[in-house]
Amino acid sequence: MTGGGFGVKYLAAALALGLVFSGTVAKAQTRIGGVDTTFRFLGSNDRVVIDRYDDPDVPNVSCYVSRAETGGVKGSLGLAEDPSRFSIACRAVGPVSWPTNLPKKQRIFTSSLSVFFKTLEVYRLLDADKKVILYVVISSRLKDGSPYNSITAVPTGPTP
């Protein structure tokens, strides 16, 4: 077997596993929209998209995540790796009560960012002293993650 054959088989296996795992990863509940940032002659433009995720365990909390999507030919084919930079804003869209019986830290959303095992993850953390629910968005890979992150807080109960 030649070195090129091994590389092609490795790439095909990685793509196949990516497709298998992409079916088990939760997608955004709602795509709110997006804006183009860079014009591309071939393929779609680079853009910033905004997705909404509703917290599955805390009623009346919606999280809005903005992130970059790479366009071009690779982006149009789903082969481009999106940058690991994003922003999150979670808001109370109705009355929010302090959650009981939830872990102090829990991953609540995962979305695939590339066929090469890169994901966007949103974690919920509870600040019991202040009765505040915190959400942080990060990027992870099979091997390593990114230090880029964004955080937001949602108070519970009546506003003081």
Side-chain angles (χ1 to χ4, degrees):
M1 174 184 335
T2 65
F6 177 76
V8 171
K9 286 183 180 182
Y10 177 75
L11 179 60
L15 288 173
L17 283 173
L19 292 175
V20 167
F21 286 116
S22 69
T24 63
V25 173
K27 297 290 183 194
Q29 292 176 344
T30 304
R31 170 66 48 98
I32 301 301
V35 293
D36 291 346
T37 58
T38 304
F39 173 76
R40 300 277 188 146
F41 285 105
L42 297 174
S44 59
N45 293 334
D46 293 351
R47 51 185 305 147
V48 172
V49 296
I50 298 109
D51 297 322
R52 185 188 79 224
Y53 301 85
D54 296 328
D55 189 321
D57 299 317
V58 181
N60 297 320
V61 173
S62 293
C63 295
Y64 297 87
V65 176
S66 68
R67 63 182 182 82
E69 278 189 350
T70 303
V73 174
K74 286 183 179 181
S76 297
L77 296 173
L79 299 175
E81 186 167 318
D82 294 331
S84 296
R85 296 184 183 183
F86 18 70
S87 179
I88 187 170
C90 297
R91 298 294 184 260
V93 295
V96 177
S97 300
W98 178 250
T100 57
N101 302 323
L102 288 181
K104 186 171 176 152
K105 180 179 88 174
Q106 182 179 11
R107 183 176 64 185
I108 56 171
F109 309 120
T110 301
S111 183
S112 178
L113 295 181
S114 81
V115 296
F116 300 110
F117 309 106
K118 181 177 179 181
T119 60
L120 173 142
E121 298 176 359
V122 177
Y123 287 84
R124 178 193 328 107
L125 294 92
L126 303 177
D127 179 352
D129 293 341
K130 298 293 183 178
K131 300 290 190 237
V132 171
I133 305 169
L134 302 163
Y135 296 87
V136 62
V137 60
I138 64 165
S139 174
S140 68
R141 287 187 174 174
L142 189 61
K143 182 179 173 189
D144 59 356
S146 169
Y148 293 107
N149 65 80
S150 181
I151 190 169
T152 187
V154 177
T156 62
T159 306

